[in-house]
Amino acid sequence: MPRLRAFTQVDVFTAVPFKGNPVAVVLDGSGLTDAEMQAFANWTNLSETTFVLPPTDPAADYALRIFTPKDELPFAGHPTLGSAHAVVHAGLAKPKAGRLVQQCAVGLVDLAVDEAGIAFRLPRYAQTPVKDPEAVAWLGEGVRVAGTPQAVDVGPVWLIAELAERSALENLAHDPARLTRFYQATGMTGATIFARDGDGIMVRSFAPGDGIPEDPVCGSGNAAVAAYRLGQGQIGAGSRYIASQGRQIGRDGSISVRIEGDSIHVGGACVTCIEGTVLL
């Protein structure tokens, strides 16, 4: 029997409403079936929808399930940050010494909470070179890739490639159908492409096969880019930089990346845009 459940929508990687990446958060997912969660995520038509549950691991403050319009993800960045913001705002969990622990399919995720925003420590990452020319053929003719693309597993698996020119990334005229055919055959989530931009980088993420033609501001994609850059020697222990994402589709996301040893931390500001209830 459907019942009213607390619901909120949070914009992530921005302090300005409607300029980041929204995540829909059902603050009480207890009793919902997988099919009901998936159907609701499809209905919201956002890149991700999450459901907060009691943790089964005593080390966690809460548990989270994360869905795209078409599938469940073991981990995702902006839903993790936005859900943590919603959980704290609703009083469902309180940071201890500025720290929260989220339980999700990938395991336990450490979160740091302060006045500037929320950051997650990437729970895992691994990368494999991708030498198939189809990996970047969807970018279009004349687009130059710097280095070898990598399949970077951060829970979701992203194809990561650096473009030689920022203008090529800004004005990309890509082939979504060709991208979908490539990554579905390889089991990847999608592609995150970046170009250097002064002291920071500019990023775009695409997962059309999951119903996300372009992700406005992607936390796991940016974490995968950081893993790629760390592996390529572009950054190292102690590095910090800011990534921008979303301007091509009317957003203005700002992602903070910090490297501690071999740990990757990704964070940003969050702002609540909708609060209420949903009959579910």
Side-chain angles (χ1 to χ4, degrees), residues 96-264:
K96 302 175 183 70
R99 182 175 176 267
L100 284 173
V101 179
Q102 172 185 291
Q103 179 184 353
C104 57
V106 81
L108 298 181
V109 179
D110 292 321
L111 295 135
V113 183
D114 61 28
E115 293 181 357
I118 303 174
F120 65 81
R121 182 177 64 82
L122 187 62
R124 72 168 193 239
Y125 61 91
Q127 53 187 304
T128 306
V130 179
K131 297 181 180 179
D132 185 341
E134 277 296 306
V136 292
W138 60 275
L139 290 166
E141 293 185 7
V143 177
R144 294 194 303 122
V145 174
T148 302
Q150 303 278 327
V152 182
D153 183 354
V154 294
V157 181
W158 289 99
L159 172 72
I160 304 297
E162 179 181 4
L163 300 193
E165 292 92 16
R166 188 185 73 176
S167 61
L169 182 62
E170 291 176 317
N171 303 305
L172 197 61
H174 63 289
D175 185 339
R178 195 169 187 176
L179 167 61
T180 299
R181 286 195 299 272
F182 175 78
Y183 89 72
Q184 285 186 331
T186 59
M188 295 185 196
T189 301
T192 293
I193 312 302
F194 76 98
R196 301 189 208 195
D197 183 21
D199 293 332
I201 62 171
M202 179 179 290
V203 177
R204 298 182 73 175
S205 301
F206 307 92
D210 276 346
I212 309 167
E214 180 164 0
D215 198 324
V217 198
C218 184
S220 66
N222 273 277
V225 168
Y228 172 96
R229 299 189 72 200
L230 191 58
Q232 298 297 309
Q234 295 182 11
I235 55 175
S239 294
R240 295 173 180 261
Y241 67 87
I242 300 294
S244 65
Q245 189 172 3
R247 293 174 188 168
Q248 289 75 24
I249 54 173
R251 310 295 175 84
D252 191 15
S254 179
I255 306 97
S256 300
V257 178
R258 174 172 53 90
I259 309 299
E260 284 188 359
D262 59 357
S263 294
I264 296 170

